[in-house]
């Protein structure tokens, strides 16, 4: 049988239901209205009782993936019980209503102060949601004001960003009528913005540049300090002052704790504003964004509205108005409960897990990582077999800086020797096991290269990490062995070595149980089933 057209399952269902109705059955509604045993009891009742409505929706949501196995997302999925309780107690509070909720607004201000201190800002800073758009809009309005004051045309603004920019940055340019000038990426620039190409795109209409502290593709930090120096030299020659907005959506809650020696924030005078997402490595549930300007001078006054109809005089400079306030309370809870030490432990643990996964993948002989947080600082290529990588310990400052992200692909040798292997099938087969791990091309300049990517979050346990390593390697082996006419008599896979690495590194991180010595590594290539109890706790 060959399929010449798309099969529409819904039409098949409707046709069968029509036939059943014609045979005199009592079912008169489409299948989607009778499939639930709860709703079928109340087909004549409108609306459904609350417990039936609850159960129907809950059953529908069973079709969702498991949040902890969604390794594609940067968004956190774990919330402590006390934080959840605070959210429920404040679920109906509106962050826009300052007069009614003064205590919550005070907490909002405290969070801004804490973030400002983390990023070396002056005390006069401001915070909000819709962060990237507001940062770009402020740069556009300041540029327009300056141009008009000089009697020059202000109708053709442009903004610079790398081709690896997250879609929110490109949305700003499209929504606010700013020309988006994408700077190429390349292998030499770690698949991020290429600093050598920036000056080619600047002119008198350039309102600023977005720089990303944590690329969504590979987790690299773009070199904010280096680009700032390039722009300093450019201004000295031309007089054009190009401000920087740092998109620290993920890195804003990682770099201050794990890479304090990386200069990217308000220590650089050219950085005018920074945004971050509280719901990523800020460890808050989805929907919270922050932006801070280095001073109020960089937020044009005409972007701020005064509101007097909620009981007091309030200032608003957000794109949205009403929005939930309970996430701000979650953020403050995390600041109080975790503190600097707690955030450091969590982010460093995530980086340690990401390094472990990276080392296992590369030492299997199947894969090469494009992310580099597992390599000693300054090393940007995979070490050859005859080189022994020094055990540097857990200090992230001894490795290349970046997010706890692992992006990898099959080695060129694998793809050459086994041309039947399709990397996209790795993502599909991992999904069968419950993981959500995307396979996608790099930005346009490198679109012929596809990568797989795992975002390591706080919820990555040692058990999950161990099973993930086994499943990735096992699936890769099955794809290679699927071809009966294998072209290469030699198999580069060294599963024993890679799993030995997992055991050795996990032991050094203190995550193996007292029974770890009983693990029979010689059985690993033959049997992939996870033996409960060998790995406990969080790396």
């Amino acid at each position: 049988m060959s399929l010449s057209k798309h099969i529409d399952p819904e039409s098949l269902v409707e046709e069968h239901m029509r036939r059943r109705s014609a045979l005199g059955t009592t079912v008169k509604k489409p299948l989607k209205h009778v499939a639930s045993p709860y709703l079928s009891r109340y087909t004549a009742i409108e609306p459904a009782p609350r417990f039936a409505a609850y159960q129907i929706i809950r059953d529908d949501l069973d079709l969702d993936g498991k949040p902890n196995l969604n390794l594609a997302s940067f968004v956190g999925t774990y919330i402590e019980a006390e934080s959840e309780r605070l959210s429920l107690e404040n679920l109906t509070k509106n962050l826009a209503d300052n007069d009614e909720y003064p205590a919550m607004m005070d907490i909002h201000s405290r969070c801004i102060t804490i973030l400002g201190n983390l990023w070396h800002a002056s005390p006069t800073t401001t915070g909000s949601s819709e962060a990237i758009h507001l940062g770009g809009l402020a740069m556009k309005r300041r540029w327009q004001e300056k141009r008009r004051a000089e009697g020059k045309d202000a109708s053709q603004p442009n903004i610079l960003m790398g081709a690896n920019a997250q879609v929110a940055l490109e949305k700003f340019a499209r929504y606010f009528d700013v020309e988006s000038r994408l700077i190429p990426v390349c292998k030499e620039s770690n698949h991020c913005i290429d600093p050598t190409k920036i000056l080619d795109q600047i002119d008198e209409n350039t309102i600023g540049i977005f720089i990303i502290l944590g690329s969504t593709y590979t987790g690299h930090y773009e070199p904010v300090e280096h680009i700032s120096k390039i722009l300093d030299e450019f201004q000295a020659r031309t007089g054009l002052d190009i401000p920087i907005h740092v998109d620290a959506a993920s890195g804003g809650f990682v770099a201050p704790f794990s890479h304090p020696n990386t200069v990217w924030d308000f220590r650089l005078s050219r950085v005018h504003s920074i945004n971050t997402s509280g719901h990523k490595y800020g460890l808050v549930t989805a929907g919270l964004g922050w932006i801070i300007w280095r001073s109020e001078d960089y937020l044009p006054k005409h972007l701020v509205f005064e509101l007097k109809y909620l009981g007091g005089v309030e200032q608003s400079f957000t794109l949205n108005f009403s929005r939930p306030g309970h996430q701000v309370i979650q953020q403050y809870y995390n600041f109080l409960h975790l503190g600097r030490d707690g955030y450091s432990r969590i982010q460093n643990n995530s980086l340690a897990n990401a390094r472990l996964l990276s080392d296992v993948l590369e030492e299997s002989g199947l894969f090469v990582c494009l992310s580099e947080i597992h390599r000693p600082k300054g090393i940007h290529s995979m070490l050859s077999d005859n080189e022994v990588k020094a055990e540097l310990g857990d200090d992230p400052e001894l490795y290349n800086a970046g997010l706890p992200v692992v992006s990898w692909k099959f080695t060129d040798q694998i793809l050459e020797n086994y041309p039947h292997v399709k990397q996209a099938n790795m993502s599909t087969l991992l999904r069968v096991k419950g993981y959500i791990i995307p396979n996608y091309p790099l930005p346009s300049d490198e679109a012929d290269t596809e990568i797989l990517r795992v975002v390591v979050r706080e919820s990555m346990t040692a058990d999950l990490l161990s099973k993930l390593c086994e499943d990735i390697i096992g699936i890769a082996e099955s794809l290679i062995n699927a071809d009966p006419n294998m072209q290469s008599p030699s198999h580069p896979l060294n599963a024993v070595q890679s799993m030995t690495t997992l055991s050795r590194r996990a032991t050094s991180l203190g995550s193996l149980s007292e029974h770890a010595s009983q693990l029979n590594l010689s059985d690993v290539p033959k049997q992939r089933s996870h033996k409960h109890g060998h790995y406990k706790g969080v790396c």
Side-chain angles (χ1 to χ4, degrees):
M1 175 181 177
S2 61
L3 298 178
S4 59
K5 64 178 182 178
H6 171 66
I7 297 175
D8 184 358
E10 187 172 352
S11 65
L12 292 178
V13 170
E14 291 177 354
E15 174 63 19
H16 279 278
M17 295 305 300
R18 185 189 64 78
R19 293 177 187 173
R20 291 174 63 185
S21 179
L23 291 173
T25 62
T26 58
V27 177
K28 301 295 184 182
K29 294 187 176 182
L31 183 60
K32 62 183 178 181
H33 292 301
V34 300
S36 168
Y38 314 103
L39 186 59
S40 63
R41 301 177 187 178
Y42 302 99
T43 53
I45 299 175
E46 294 293 345
R50 63 174 182 265
F51 72 86
Y54 166 82
Q55 194 63 49
I56 292 164
I57 296 172
R58 182 175 182 179
D59 288 351
D60 283 345
L61 293 174
D62 281 342
L63 298 174
D64 281 346
K66 295 181 179 179
N68 198 38
L69 296 183
N70 181 6
L71 305 181
S73 176
F74 288 84
V75 177
T77 58
Y78 173 75
I79 178 174
E80 292 188 348
E82 290 77 10
S83 181
E84 182 178 18
R85 189 186 313 160
L86 284 169
S87 290
L88 291 174
E89 292 170 354
N90 296 276
L91 195 60
T92 60
K93 289 186 177 179
N94 184 356
L95 191 59
D97 198 339
N98 300 13
D99 193 61
E100 184 176 357
Y101 306 116
M104 184 174 65
M105 296 312 301
D106 188 44
I107 286 175
H108 180 263
S109 297
R110 294 176 204 169
C111 288
I112 293 168
T113 300
I114 292 170
L115 282 172
N117 289 335
L118 276 177
W119 299 342
H120 302 90
S122 62
T124 54
T125 54
T126 45
S128 175
S129 302
E130 310 95 34
I132 292 173
H133 289 191
L134 288 170
L137 186 57
M139 288 196 295
K140 177 184 176 181
R141 292 299 172 86
R142 279 177 53 82
W143 173 82
Q144 288 177 324
E145 290 174 357
K146 182 175 183 295
R147 295 282 291 180
R148 288 166 181 159
E150 296 171 348
K152 298 178 180 178
D153 177 65
S155 64
Q156 296 181 315
N158 65 70
I159 191 164
L160 278 55
M161 65 189 80
N164 60 316
Q166 203 261 358
V167 67
L169 278 67
E170 295 190 67
K171 279 185 177 181
F172 159 75
R174 184 175 300 181
Y175 292 169
F176 291 96
D177 294 323
V178 178
E179 178 192 353
S180 174
R181 295 187 174 180
L182 298 182
I183 308 298
V185 303
C186 61
K187 182 178 180 181
E188 290 71 27
S189 64
N190 295 324
H191 317 286
C192 294
I193 190 171
D194 186 348
T196 66
K197 305 293 185 183
I198 290 176
L199 298 185
D200 298 338
Q201 299 294 332
I202 295 177
D203 59 29
E204 63 180 6
N205 293 320
T206 301
I207 66 173
I209 181 170
F210 285 139
I211 306 180
I212 306 169
L213 194 77
S215 170
T216 56
Y217 287 89
T218 60
H220 284 93
Y221 295 161
E222 292 189 330
V224 185
E225 185 177 23
H226 177 56
I227 293 173
S228 179
K229 290 178 180 178
I230 291 175
L231 296 176
D232 287 344
E233 295 170 358
F234 178 76
Q235 182 179 2
R237 294 197 313 271
T238 66
L240 291 178
D241 183 5
I242 309 299
I244 291 174
H245 173 86
V246 178
D247 174 19
S250 297
F253 273 104
V254 176
F257 304 109
S258 299
H259 308 108
N261 295 327
T262 299
V263 178
W264 61 275
D265 51 19
F266 292 115
R267 286 171 285 184
L268 301 170
S269 61
R270 194 166 294 277
V271 174
H272 287 192
S273 52
I274 301 171
N275 75 274
T276 195
S277 297
H279 58 252
K280 294 182 180 177
Y281 288 101
L283 311 179
V284 173
T285 53
L288 180 64
W290 298 96
I291 181 169
I292 291 182
W293 284 269
R294 69 179 307 112
S295 79
E296 292 181 357
D297 295 338
Y298 296 96
L299 179 61
K301 300 299 182 185
H302 65 273
L303 289 180
V304 181
F305 292 84
E306 283 194 353
L307 311 175
K308 301 179 181 178
Y309 55 78
L310 292 178
V313 178
E314 302 175 7
Q315 290 188 331
S316 174
F317 52 94
T318 60
L319 301 181
N320 291 326
F321 186 57
S322 294
R323 56 201 189 279
H326 65 91
Q327 293 155 327
V328 172
I329 296 173
Q330 287 183 35
Q331 188 75 81
Y332 189 55
Y333 168 84
N334 285 342
F335 285 155
L336 285 182
H337 170 55
L338 296 174
R340 183 180 290 272
D341 288 345
Y343 265 103
S344 296
R345 285 195 301 271
I346 290 171
Q347 314 304 29
N348 290 350
N349 282 343
S350 296
L351 284 163
N353 280 333
R355 288 195 298 270
L356 175 53
L357 175 59
S358 302
D359 286 336
V360 170
L361 293 176
E362 287 197 335
E363 291 189 31
S364 73
L366 292 169
F367 306 106
V368 59
C369 291
L370 280 71
S371 51
E372 298 187 319
I373 56 169
H374 62 299
R375 297 191 179 115
K377 182 174 289 188
I379 302 297
H380 301 288
S381 60
M382 189 166 66
L383 299 176
S384 60
D385 293 339
N386 59 359
E387 291 178 295
V388 178
K389 178 180 175 182
E391 292 292 342
L392 299 179
D394 296 338
D395 184 359
E397 289 283 64
L398 299 178
Y399 301 87
N400 291 317
L403 300 178
V405 168
V406 182
S407 59
W408 77 96
K409 68 182 189 69
F410 278 113
T411 65
D412 292 340
Q413 181 186 4
I414 289 291
L415 295 177
E416 179 181 351
N417 291 343
Y418 309 100
H420 66 284
V421 172
K422 306 301 179 186
Q423 188 168 288
N425 291 340
M426 286 287 299
S427 180
T428 302
L429 293 174
L430 284 165
R431 184 61 184 263
V432 172
K433 288 181 172 288
Y435 305 105
I436 301 176
I437 298 176
N439 179 85
Y440 56 96
L442 287 173
S444 56
D445 305 285
E446 298 183 284
D448 56 338
T449 299
E450 293 185 349
I451 60 172
L452 294 148
R453 190 199 68 197
V454 162
V455 178
V456 178
R457 304 189 300 271
E458 176 190 14
S459 54
M460 174 72 78
T461 65
D463 282 326
L464 176 56
L465 179 59
S466 172
K467 190 67 171 65
L468 176 63
C469 291
E470 294 176 7
D471 287 337
I472 291 174
I473 293 174
I475 287 172
E477 283 185 306
S478 67
L479 289 174
I480 290 173
N481 294 329
D483 187 2
N485 301 311
M486 298 179 73
Q487 298 184 18
S488 174
S490 60
H491 200 296
L493 176 65
N494 191 344
V496 174
Q497 180 182 357
S498 62
M499 294 310 297
T500 301
T501 298
L502 175 62
S503 176
R504 184 183 71 250
R505 291 289 305 283
T507 301
S508 69
L509 294 171
S511 63
L512 287 180
S513 74
E514 63 274 18
H515 303 296
S517 60
Q518 300 175 11
L519 180 62
N520 186 356
L521 292 173
S522 62
D523 292 338
V524 171
K526 302 175 184 178
Q527 183 177 348
R528 293 286 172 193
S529 60
H530 179 65
K531 297 181 179 180
H532 180 70
H534 287 150
Y535 302 97
K536 295 181 181 179
V538 178
C539 288

